[in-house]
Amino acid sequence: MQKSAGVLAVMALKHTVLCLVLLPRFLLAALMLWLLDFLCIRRKVLQKMEKRGNSPDDPPVCVSDSNKMFTLESLRAVWYGQKLDFFKSAHLGFIAPNTEVVQLQEQRRVRVLDYVKGRRPLILNFGSCSCPPFMTRLAAFQRVASQYADIADSLLVYIEEAHPSDGWVSSDAPYQIPKHCCLEDRLKAAQLMHSEVPGSTVVVDNMDNSSNAAYGAYFERLYILRDERVVYQGGRGPEGYKISELRNWLEQYRNDLENSRTVVVHV
């Protein structure tokens, strides 16, 4: 009984800390969503974002006038994403969580680190078909992954839907997919994504959403693992999801490799 009371006290304390830390951030996000429902403000914000985003790796995201930004479902999604980010176990410079994923074709349960090949970096790209920023930049991601395939491997991890058709729906999503009720639903959705980038390695998160939780990946997110550690941690999508940052890291890594080889040859 005492143990149960202690566990409840710890849980209550954790939730209190969570609210104190996240509430200001959440309220700011909620205010932004409310303002974006005024079309004049939304158009000005999108125009500024388009002017800022001059990289072909990060094409601007379209948000149609018909999309409602400030809804109960949108607030739930924002809170959920912020909570996952707060409690994630993946942190830059620390051991990478070796979470369970399911292979798309064989439907076999494996681990994320099973895809690491020696000391080669492994790029993780988390997202879903109902996420417009993720799908808009999927082709750019494939280009970058192909360009640096000689020095790094990549893995697409399909997570729960960002904008399910029975949740915070987005008319800009290329596919209207409801929340996954079972693993078969998630595998079927991942097949759609795989058809967009044939040749890419795609796995799906399990129905416990363990990879999504461990990496704080919702709505979309990029990571790079090397030597079983997190060596690059992208920002939370959509604002922090930048293929250009991924390219910059890989380019710097390639330069470092070439410089180290040059030093060895001269020695």
Side-chain angles (χ1 to χ4, degrees):
M1 189 65 131
Q2 288 181 351
K3 186 177 180 181
S4 298
V7 170
L8 289 173
V10 170
M11 289 178 62
L13 180 61
K14 183 186 286 188
H15 284 293
T16 302
V17 171
L18 174 68
C19 289
L20 289 173
V21 172
L22 292 188
L23 194 57
R25 193 190 310 174
F26 172 74
L27 291 175
L28 180 60
L31 176 61
M32 284 300 300
L33 291 174
W34 178 71
L35 290 172
L36 288 173
D37 268 344
F38 294 92
L39 295 183
C40 58
I41 296 177
R42 182 185 302 187
R43 289 165 187 163
K44 285 182 180 179
V45 169
L46 291 175
Q47 285 173 2
K48 286 184 179 179
M49 289 175 64
E50 192 170 349
K51 288 178 182 177
R52 267 199 320 241
N54 54 5
S55 169
D57 292 328
D58 301 317
V61 178
C62 172
V63 181
S64 300
D65 292 350
S66 59
N67 285 316
K68 286 290 183 184
M69 305 298 286
F70 188 77
T71 66
L72 182 59
E73 290 294 343
S74 71
L75 295 177
R76 284 174 177 165
V78 169
W79 177 258
Y80 177 64
Q82 291 183 350
K83 187 172 71 171
L84 284 184
D85 183 53
F86 183 78
F87 284 118
K88 70 181 182 298
S89 52
H91 296 281
L92 188 63
F94 290 85
I95 296 294
N98 193 16
T99 50
E100 181 186 78
V101 290
V102 181
Q103 293 176 329
L104 183 59
Q105 305 301 337
E106 297 85 353
Q107 298 185 16
R108 190 163 57 91
R109 294 179 185 273
V110 293
R111 297 278 172 174
V112 165
L113 294 181
D114 291 343
Y115 289 89
V116 173
K117 299 176 183 177
R119 301 200 67 198
R120 286 168 59 89
L122 175 66
I123 306 163
L124 299 181
N125 190 7
F126 297 89
S128 64
C129 279
S130 64
C131 183
F134 176 80
M135 294 300 290
T136 300
R137 295 172 183 176
L138 191 55
F141 171 78
Q142 189 180 36
R143 284 197 305 272
V144 171
S146 299
Q147 184 178 346
Y148 294 92
D150 58 321
I151 60 168
D153 303 298
S154 61
L155 184 67
L156 284 161
V157 185
Y158 202 101
I159 57 174
E160 56 192 305
E161 298 297 334
H163 293 278
S165 57
D166 52 352
W168 183 16
V169 66
S170 170
S171 62
D172 298 312
Y175 300 98
Q176 295 299 321
I177 303 171
K179 295 172 185 174
H180 310 145
C181 296
C182 59
L183 184 61
E184 287 70 25
D185 289 347
R186 188 161 291 176
L187 288 165
K188 191 182 297 184
Q191 286 285 4
L192 295 173
M193 185 176 73
H194 188 248
S195 67
E196 300 275 346
V197 282
S200 298
T201 304
V202 179
V203 296
V204 306
D205 197 4
N206 59 28
M207 292 308 292
D208 291 331
N209 299 314
S210 58
S211 295
N212 190 14
Y215 286 90
Y218 189 81
F219 302 94
E220 69 268 63
R221 200 163 198 168
L222 290 162
Y223 280 87
I224 300 178
L225 314 181
R226 185 169 181 264
D227 295 334
E228 300 187 357
R229 291 183 177 273
V230 176
V231 293
Y232 168 80
Q233 181 180 63
R236 287 183 61 237
E239 299 87 355
Y241 183 76
K242 297 179 180 178
I243 306 298
S244 56
E245 279 190 3
L246 176 68
R247 178 188 290 278
N248 292 340
W249 191 97
L250 291 168
E251 186 62 30
Q252 183 61 52
Y253 180 72
R254 172 175 278 167
N255 292 337
D256 291 344
L257 278 180
E258 290 174 354
N259 290 337
S260 65
R261 288 169 186 160
T262 304
V263 170
V264 170
V265 169
H266 282 302
V267 170

